[in-house]
Amino acid sequence: MSSHESSFTVASDHPSLAGHFPGNPLVPGVLLLERTLECAEAKIGQPLSVKAIVQAKFVAPLKPNELAQVELRHSPTELRFAIRHAERLIAQGIFALAPPP
């Protein structure tokens, strides 16, 4: 399994934050998953085809403009991830990937 590290932030004006939650915005889980996949594709250098989310556990909130540090481990059929902010675990999980053609 190969390992990579990456990071991202979600700007406070991102459209998904307006309804999640007014007055106390938090980055939605689906956006965390999307950004994680984008980080993985950038590090691996090719698009990934997700077959399923095998596991996704969200354990702490991420606020807009906070730096999310992403740890990635991947094989041709699996992507494992952990997202942290300031050493605090935000989310972790596993994507099942379709093998490359």
Side-chain angles (χ1 to χ4, degrees):
M1 223 177 233
S2 297
S3 297
H4 302 281
E5 292 184 8
S6 191
S7 62
F8 66 85
T9 58
V10 176
S12 60
D13 63 350
H14 190 281
S16 70
L17 299 176
H20 205 268
F21 296 91
N24 187 23
L26 302 175
V27 178
V30 68
L31 187 53
L32 292 173
L33 296 176
E34 179 182 61
R35 293 289 172 93
T36 297
L37 285 172
E38 290 171 357
C39 288
E41 290 175 336
K43 291 293 182 180
I44 295 167
Q46 66 184 41
L48 298 175
S49 178
V50 175
K51 290 184 356 182
I53 299 172
V54 177
Q55 176 186 355
K57 185 174 182 179
F58 302 92
V59 296
L62 183 71
K63 295 193 173 274
N65 300 318
E66 290 184 335
L67 181 65
Q69 298 150 323
V70 184
E71 301 163 9
L72 302 163
R73 292 184 314 165
H74 71 92
S75 70
T77 58
E78 182 178 270
L79 175 66
R80 293 176 176 262
F81 67 91
I83 304 169
R84 298 182 189 283
H85 169 69
E87 301 301 318
R88 180 186 68 197
L89 182 64
I90 302 297
Q92 62 186 8
I94 304 167
F95 291 101
L97 304 175

